[in-house]
């Protein structure tokens, strides 16, 4: 079976991401290619689509669109922050588009956020093509570092972080090291008692029995005391269904500050105390696969 | 901008559905075309895919796959049945693949289910290529009729139904009449007091401000006393995110028999008391758009 080459599809007005190992593909109709750069780490493209706003693509994989990134960014930030009793010091590994950073900075109790993305080109492209995501970057609580997150985690002081957000690409290429038990063990060391870690954990339909199950096992091996996988819709990602997996150090991530979450005064599109509760309720097929 | 013709894509081993008005497309890698027939109502195809099992396509639109139909069928059946106090008489309009019928028949309290699909070819294809969905068709409580659901609803006796399930294709083509206020008014008449209606209501991302909002308004115009829209993931449908909208006649469909739902002994993959509760919690962007 031959594939339609990406370039040929593009000539015809579509961007297509083929999910080879899952036998599916997702396409968006595009108006224009706005930006293309080969950074030292990956190939970055930005397209103007017909209906999803702008689209950022890294090494051929869709990272985010203007239209639906609110789902991912809210679910990477708020469940972890509300699962922590009083988060003040937050670290984001990856997340160069700054969408997760923006959500974290909405929490008035957060005192500092350090974001470490290896690739400055991602942040530069986001500033230009997704300015709404980088609008909070000048917040004095925020520090943006462009270096290797794995190395940064190795050298950061023990017990110095309340919430760690691993906002990475898929577990191949530059982000491979972020899905290893050694890295999780170092994250665990970095977290203060009561700390919460969250990592994007791929598709409930495609990866429950593989990546999600392995990540949860690795989190437990790394010393975390509780884990919780929260599914949410994400149209531009494989299967249109995605997940974040939380892990607690001396804290129970299956619970959260419901009263505080219900009382938020900042703007939200997807996250609410009810959607958080709903996401904690794993569908039976996932519950069975993860307890097996 | 020219499109890649369907046939050309197929020659290259993919089935692609283009969602023109939404500027997106979804593709599955196929092994073979198993079946093709032009019925009096629509063009029906069945493919063997590489990773989604079999795939049924009507007039070029994906209807269901072996792999992920459990999401749609469970969410079209169980929330409505548990929102009713004691459902005994159930009617399914459409639903020819019999997946919804199978879910309804899992409820021991249901005494009769009448399914009315205009196109017998859908059921014949399902029997052959999705045998797990039609395995309950011989249940003595089930009656399959192949006729026009709109006409059937016009002639059925008032107050004779507890739960009505409108399991239709999109609101264009054969199913167009199923999305009109006159039809909903007739459904309302057919339902006994305490009755519940449920209709598939398209994508939360694409249709909240259009089809979903209009359907809810039409339900209220038709005399229903309560409405609730329940989102759920559905990878093979546009945006990978879908919804069912419930309406109650003298009943509150924002509530359900939680104790009974928690005590079910039949097999479920997606539905649970928790996923039902979670689906009732609309994300803020939907809540705002639907209350506006």
């Amino acid at each position: 079976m031959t594939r339609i080459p990406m370039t040929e599809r593009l000539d015809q007005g579509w961007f297509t991401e083929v999910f080879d190992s899952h036998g599916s593909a997702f396409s968006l109709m595009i108006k224009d290619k706005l930006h293309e750069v080969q950074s030292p780490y990956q190939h970055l493209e930005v397209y103007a689509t017909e209906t999803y706003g702008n689209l950022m693509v890294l090494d051929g994989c869709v990272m985010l669109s203007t239209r639906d990134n609110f789902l991912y960014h809210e679910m990477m930030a708020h469940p972890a922050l509300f699962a922590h009793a009083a988060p003040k010091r937050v670290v984001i590994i990856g997340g160069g588009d700054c969408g997760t950073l923006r959500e974290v900075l909405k929490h008035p109790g957060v005192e500092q956020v350090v974001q470490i993305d290896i690739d400055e080109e991602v942040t530069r492209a986001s500033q230009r093509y997704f300015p709404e995501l980088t609008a909070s970057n000048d917040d004095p609580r925020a520090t943006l570092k462009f270096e290797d997150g794995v190395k940064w985690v190795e050298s950061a002081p023990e017990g110095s972080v309340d919430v760690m957000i691993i906002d990475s690409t898929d577990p191949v290429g530059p982000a491979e090291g972020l899905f290893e038990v050694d890295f999780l063990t170092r994250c665990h060391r970095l977290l203060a008692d009561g700390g919460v870690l969250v990592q994007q954990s791929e598709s409930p339909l495609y990866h429950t029995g593989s990546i999600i199950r392995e990540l949860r096992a690795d989190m437990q091996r790394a010393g975390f005391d509780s884990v919780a996988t929260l599914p949410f819709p994400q149209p531009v990602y494989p299967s249109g269904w995605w997940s974040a997996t939380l892990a607690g150090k001396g804290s129970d991530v299956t619970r959260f500050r419901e009263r505080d979450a219900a009382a938020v005064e900042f703007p939200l599109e997807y996250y609410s105390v009810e959607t958080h509760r709903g996401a904690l309720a794993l569908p039976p097929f996932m519950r069975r696969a993860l307890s097996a």
Side-chain angles (χ1 to χ4, degrees), chain A:
Chain A
M1 234 171 268
T2 55
R3 301 267 166 67
I4 301 168
M6 291 290 179
T7 48
E8 185 183 323
R9 294 199 183 201
L10 272 184
D11 287 344
Q12 293 169 296
W14 289 85
F15 172 82
T16 295
E17 182 180 354
V18 177
F19 315 124
D20 289 285
S21 48
H22 306 294
S24 65
F26 179 73
S27 311
L28 287 173
M29 205 186 291
I30 59 168
K31 289 196 273 205
D32 210 358
K33 182 183 278 191
L34 302 175
H35 183 61
E36 180 165 17
V37 63
Q38 176 65 46
S39 84
Y41 308 101
Q42 49 206 351
H43 186 76
L44 187 159
E45 297 158 288
V46 179
Y47 297 91
T49 74
E50 287 286 348
T51 56
Y52 273 66
N54 289 343
L55 179 76
M56 189 190 289
V57 176
L58 291 178
D59 288 341
C61 297
V62 169
M63 283 301 109
L64 74 152
S65 85
T66 306
R67 184 172 186 183
D68 76 345
N69 79 80
F70 68 92
L71 296 158
Y72 177 85
H73 288 136
E74 292 188 12
M75 291 304 282
M76 285 298 287
H78 306 302
L81 286 162
F82 283 118
H84 192 284
K88 290 182 171 58
R89 301 158 297 173
V90 179
V91 167
I92 301 169
I93 305 291
D97 58 58
C98 303
T100 300
L101 175 63
R102 178 180 74 155
E103 295 305 317
V104 171
L105 290 167
K106 288 179 179 175
H107 289 248
V110 166
E111 293 172 0
Q112 57 174 62
V113 193
V114 183
Q115 174 180 296
I116 306 104
D117 195 299
I118 201 164
D119 195 347
E120 187 162 359
E121 290 291 348
V122 175
T123 303
R124 298 298 154 243
S126 194
Q127 284 173 320
R128 188 152 168 207
Y129 299 104
F130 301 87
E132 68 283 9
L133 301 185
T134 61
S136 321
N137 284 12
D138 292 333
D139 189 307
R141 298 173 294 162
T143 307
L144 275 65
K145 291 177 183 287
F146 300 104
E147 50 187 272
D148 183 341
V150 175
K151 286 199 186 127
W152 187 90
V153 166
E154 277 174 30
S155 60
E158 195 166 332
S160 62
V161 177
D162 297 318
V163 172
M164 279 202 73
I165 302 177
I166 320 296
D167 180 2
S168 72
T169 51
D170 295 344
V172 287
E176 205 170 344
L178 305 180
F179 280 79
E180 286 170 7
V181 67
D182 283 0
F183 176 69
L184 289 169
T185 305
R186 290 194 185 98
C187 292
H188 184 269
R189 186 186 60 80
L190 218 65
L191 285 166
D193 195 47
V196 174
L197 177 141
V198 57
Q199 182 152 7
Q200 74 86 2
S201 52
E202 313 278 311
S203 162
L205 191 73
Y206 292 167
H207 304 110
T208 293
S210 54
I211 292 171
I212 297 175
R213 187 158 62 183
E214 288 154 25
L215 176 62
R216 290 164 61 104
D218 282 351
M219 285 168 161
Q220 283 162 327
R221 259 179 239 127
F224 287 97
D225 304 295
S226 64
V227 295
T229 299
L230 283 66
F232 55 89
Q234 189 58 61
V236 300
Y237 285 177
S239 84
W241 197 14
W242 215 242
S243 69
T245 296
L246 278 66
K249 177 177 181 174
S251 65
D252 180 1
V253 291
T254 67
R255 306 168 66 91
F256 64 107
R257 291 180 286 124
E258 300 205 6
R259 201 171 292 187
D260 294 346
V264 288
E265 291 181 355
F266 49 78
L268 291 164
E269 300 293 315
Y270 183 74
Y271 181 86
S272 71
V273 60
E274 292 86 4
T275 48
H276 189 158
R277 246 189 246 133
L280 281 170
L282 284 187
F285 87 91
M286 289 185 75
R287 219 157 49 205
R288 283 193 295 267
L290 294 175
S291 67

